[in-house]
Amino acid sequence: MKRKIAAIFAADIAGYSRLVAEDEEETLRRLASYREVVDDFIAKAGGRIFNTAGDAVLAEFPSAVDAVRCAIDIQESLRTRNMAYPPSRQMSFRIGITIGDVVERDGDLLGDGVNIAARLEGLAEVGGICVSRAVHEQVANKLSVQFADIGAQEVKNIPTPVHAYMVAMRREDGTYATPQVKKVAKAVPAPNWMWPLVVGVVSVVAIGVGGFLYFTKLETTKVPSAVAATTPTPASSAVAPSPTPTMAAKAPMPTQSAMAAATPAPTPAAAGGKFPADMVPFIGERVRAYLSNEYSVAGDYKAFALNIGGFVGYGLNQPNEEAARNTALDQCQKRADAAQSPRRCELYAVGDTVVYSHGKPPMPPQPWVRHDAMTERPFASKDFPIVRDPAKVRLENLYAPAAKSRSVALGPGGQYFMVMGASSVDESARRSLESCGAIAGVVCMIVAVDDNFVVPIPTLLRITGFFHAASNASIVADARDEVVRKLGDGMGWNAVAVGTTGRPGLGLKAADEQTAVNSALADCARRDSDCHVIAIGPFTVGPTN
């Protein structure tokens, strides 16, 4: 063991247990995506992660300046990613930073420095940063960061109060928020003269309640028999129908056994009782034709199962409903397992009634694909945006050599889904968007069709996410509508730059990426200072390093 002085960084997700309870699979998937961002920033800032547990991250930095700068970069990057999700599903970190003496053992760090960083993290606002006085003294004159002094804070298991500061985070309008601290109110003991009065009041209340119960005794003795007659037994109790799910607050996916045991609140079949085959997501046109013909005319005991990846199973002309359910689920799951699909199969319909509990996946407006000769270029897996290297290898091995028609849809958090060998480009685009949208929980975008990228893929700056001008915090609020209007149909190369006050400059419909960037910077310089490019095409961008 050895001792050293280090800047300790502690972070975890606010409300993580609630997010997991609402949708475990989607939360874990996004946690992995957000952790990639956090880990990348820590590594680039010279930090080292020495411990993780669930949603928590502990890291050390050789410099308090590097630790605070890294924390700010993380919070601003994740804030942009969170814009793609409704407020109830946003995943925000709290971060605490201190400088302290720690003990290193087998790569792990122990000591008061680690404990205080964790307590400061608990004081931080959602999406905010809280630092100790030692960190503030090191950073105040080295970074252009505003702080709010919240004074000495009593924290659990630390014997002396910790003097703390909040980092003021930038608002959407370019101003800085004043952090608020939740102060714990201490109970004030009642004065001695109050006790006789309290005893007297309690005595009077007790006498009154006793008298009430005495005079109502005969009436209350009749109630139990009435209640017993009207309360249903567990065997006969009614089950309230489940509320209709929405994508904004998606319920956790039921397991296969739960789906087989109980049918969710059914969605009525299409007019005339015919199975609504046109409404089924994730499937190809051949499966849709089979549902419209063979499935629709089959006997009463039938069921249909699918998964997000488009694998399906049928149970037709079965002896009873349970047999139809089990047959459909088993057939679908065997096909999914054979293809190594990670998604579980679920019942979509029993008879002609839809029982699928997740509704339709979020979809963008049509047209899903727009061809533009100025921006299209040959597909290259190494240039595929946002996703990590293992995904690029998979795209190279599976997508690039696959049969047409094929397409890849991409989500703002790096989720993606590819469909190969479809009957048409329209089918491959629809299916990849539906599956990607179901995985991401938000609208995805078609990035590649067959052998080409069909959206502008920036190369001058690093792609960091999806660009939505209407909600982008870097652009001053009163200018966002104009940016949306001027970007219009998005054809050609477009770029957006902003300056210190968030005033935007635009480079529109350029023939190449460099021209769009130069135009945006020049336009911004006429309105603002210290301009930098924040978006190229449909993506947000940042420095390459």
Side-chain angles (χ1 to χ4, degrees):
M1 294 189 300
K2 65 177 182 178
R3 288 188 173 274
K4 62 180 179 179
I5 301 296
I8 305 300
F9 167 110
D12 76 355
I13 295 171
Y16 181 70
S17 298
R18 174 186 62 80
L19 293 169
V20 171
E22 290 178 355
D23 191 333
E24 180 179 21
E25 184 177 344
E26 190 262 351
T27 298
L28 293 175
R29 183 169 54 248
R30 283 180 54 208
L31 172 61
S33 172
Y34 281 30
R35 274 295 308 277
E36 290 178 5
V37 175
V38 172
D39 294 3
D40 187 49
F41 275 115
I42 290 174
K44 288 180 178 178
R48 178 184 74 90
I49 296 174
F50 62 85
N51 203 338
T52 61
D55 61 315
V57 178
L58 291 170
E60 65 166 328
F61 289 81
S63 159
V65 173
D66 290 337
V68 173
R69 184 187 290 117
C70 175
I72 293 170
D73 289 342
I74 287 171
Q75 296 292 38
E76 291 184 347
S77 177
L78 295 184
R79 181 179 65 180
T80 300
R81 286 173 176 258
N82 273 329
M83 290 178 184
Y85 300 92
S88 64
R89 294 301 303 165
Q90 290 184 0
M91 185 178 287
S92 300
F93 280 81
R94 293 187 176 98
I95 299 176
I97 303 172
T98 191
I99 299 174
D101 184 79
V102 293
V103 175
E104 184 172 3
R105 184 174 65 188
D106 298 329
D108 197 4
L109 299 184
L110 307 170
D112 281 348
V114 178
N115 296 334
I116 291 172
R119 300 308 175 205
L120 291 169
E121 172 265 306
L123 293 174
E125 296 180 303
V126 175
I129 305 163
C130 184
V131 304
S132 66
R133 179 162 55 188
V135 171
H136 176 262
E137 291 172 352
Q138 292 288 325
V139 173
N141 297 324
K142 297 181 178 70
L143 293 177
S144 56
V145 178
Q146 298 184 28
F147 293 90
D149 186 347
I150 62 172
Q153 301 292 315
E154 294 183 2
V155 294
K156 184 178 179 182
N157 295 334
I158 303 298
T160 57
V162 178
H163 198 114
Y165 294 77
M166 296 283 197
V167 176
M169 304 303 291
R170 184 177 176 179
R171 295 191 185 100
E172 293 185 4
D173 61 2
T175 62
Y176 288 86
T178 301
Q180 301 294 324
V181 63
K182 297 179 180 178
K183 295 186 179 294
V184 179
K186 295 184 177 179
V188 179
N192 292 336
W193 61 266
M194 287 287 290
W195 287 109
L197 178 60
V198 171
V199 172
V201 171
V202 171
S203 300
V204 171
V205 172
I207 292 170
V209 172
F212 173 78
L213 293 177
Y214 175 80
F215 287 110
T216 58
K217 181 178 180 181
L218 291 178
E219 294 184 12
T220 57
T221 55
K222 298 177 183 179
V223 172
S225 60
V227 171
T230 58
T231 303
T233 63
S236 61
S237 60
V239 179
S242 302
T244 303
T246 65
M247 293 308 297
K250 190 171 65 173
M253 288 190 176
T255 62
Q256 179 175 331
S257 58
M259 289 295 292
T263 303
T267 301
K274 186 178 179 180
F275 178 71
D278 291 342
M279 303 296 291
V280 181
F282 317 132
I283 61 172
E285 295 309 316
R286 284 174 291 184
V287 174
R288 199 180 302 284
Y290 181 87
L291 291 171
S292 296
N293 300 318
E294 283 81 355
Y295 183 87
S296 292
V297 300
D300 291 336
Y301 295 125
K302 60 186 178 183
F304 168 58
L306 52 62
N307 78 354
I308 291 175
F311 295 93
V312 298
Y314 313 94
L316 305 182
N317 302 313
Q318 298 295 306
N320 53 56
E321 186 176 292
E322 183 178 3
R325 291 165 174 263
N326 292 337
T327 300
L329 281 169
D330 289 345
Q331 185 183 102
C332 177
Q333 197 60 55
K334 286 178 181 177
R335 290 171 174 170
D337 291 344
Q340 298 182 336
S341 170
R343 307 290 166 184
R344 302 298 296 175
C345 288
E346 299 179 65
L347 284 171
Y348 184 86
V350 176
D352 288 325
T353 301
V354 175
V355 298
Y356 190 62
S357 62
H358 307 299
K360 298 190 70 175
M363 291 287 285
Q366 290 185 298
W368 298 321
V369 179
R370 287 189 295 184
H371 294 283
D372 183 353
M374 284 194 290
T375 59
E376 281 193 26
R377 65 183 179 90
F379 175 85
S381 58
K382 65 181 180 63
D383 297 330
F384 199 90
I386 301 177
V387 303
R388 302 192 76 183
D389 288 343
K392 293 180 180 181
V393 172
R394 192 164 183 262
L395 288 164
E396 180 66 25
N397 293 338
L398 297 180
Y399 177 81
K404 299 178 181 179
S405 294
R406 63 186 188 272
S407 65
V408 189
L410 175 68
Q415 309 89 347
Y416 70 102
F417 198 91
M418 50 184 153
V419 170
M420 292 88 75
S423 60
S424 65
V425 169
D426 188 67
E427 179 190 318
S428 70
R430 173 185 60 78
R431 290 177 57 192
S432 57
L433 285 169
E434 287 174 338
S435 295
C436 179
I439 294 169
V442 293
V443 169
C444 293
M445 169 176 60
I446 295 295
V447 172
V449 171
D450 291 336
D451 299 322
N452 293 315
F453 284 121
V454 292
V455 295
I457 305 295
T459 59
L460 299 178
L461 295 168
R462 180 172 59 90
I463 298 172
T464 59
F466 281 14
F467 177 63
H468 299 289
S471 59
N472 189 278
S474 298
I475 303 173
V476 67
D478 62 8
R480 293 174 194 162
D481 289 344
E482 182 183 8
V483 173
V484 172
R485 179 180 60 80
K486 287 186 175 180
L487 288 175
D489 59 14
M491 303 302 281
W493 283 94
N494 298 300
V496 181
V498 295
T500 304
T501 64
R503 289 293 165 186
L506 304 179
L508 302 175
K509 300 184 186 302
D512 58 72
E513 181 183 3
Q514 188 67 65
T515 301
V517 166
N518 293 344
S519 298
L521 289 171
D523 189 36
C524 174
R526 288 192 285 268
R527 301 178 176 86
D528 213 331
S529 59
D530 295 329
C531 293
H532 62 282
V533 175
I534 61 168
I536 300 175
F539 300 105
T540 55
V541 293
T544 54
N545 295 326

